[in-house]
Amino acid sequence: GPLSEQRLMDTRLGQLPMWLATCDFSPQGLLGGVQKAWSSYYDKYINVKKGGPAGISMLLAGYCLLSYGWNYQHIRAHRWRKYH
């Protein structure tokens, strides 16, 4: 199919600049991409017949890693402070 309808994982490395040029980077386009990604994640890991805790735990682990990354500078500086 056309390059604009291909997914990122289906494009070749040489086609990557042309694929990025066809993407919609407006706020509405980015919001649509986030909604599509969440929908595919939800359908693959959470909304399944024989589901387990894997989908929710991956989401929780991702949140923990992201929040740790955001607070790393504060945590690193706080480690060397004395409490007396």
Side-chain angles (χ1 to χ4, degrees):
L3 192 61
S4 62
E5 293 178 5
Q6 285 184 351
R7 297 183 326 169
L8 175 62
M9 298 304 290
D10 295 335
T11 58
R12 295 179 186 241
L13 193 57
Q15 296 174 332
L16 190 60
M18 292 187 326
W19 183 82
L20 284 172
T22 62
C23 290
D24 184 15
F25 289 110
S26 67
Q28 187 176 7
L30 292 175
L31 184 62
V34 168
Q35 286 175 342
K36 186 176 177 183
W38 171 253
S39 175
S40 84
Y41 175 83
Y42 184 81
D43 288 340
K44 187 173 182 179
Y45 293 108
I46 297 175
N47 191 22
V48 292
K49 288 183 182 178
K50 286 182 134 182
I56 303 286
S57 62
M58 276 196 326
L59 196 63
L60 184 62
Y63 172 74
C64 290
L65 287 173
L66 189 65
S67 65
Y68 180 78
W70 282 336
N71 294 321
Y72 179 73
Q73 292 295 330
H74 177 71
I75 292 169
R76 193 180 80 183
H78 185 67
R79 180 178 46 184
W80 299 108
R81 292 186 188 148
K82 297 200 178 228
Y83 289 101
H84 54 82

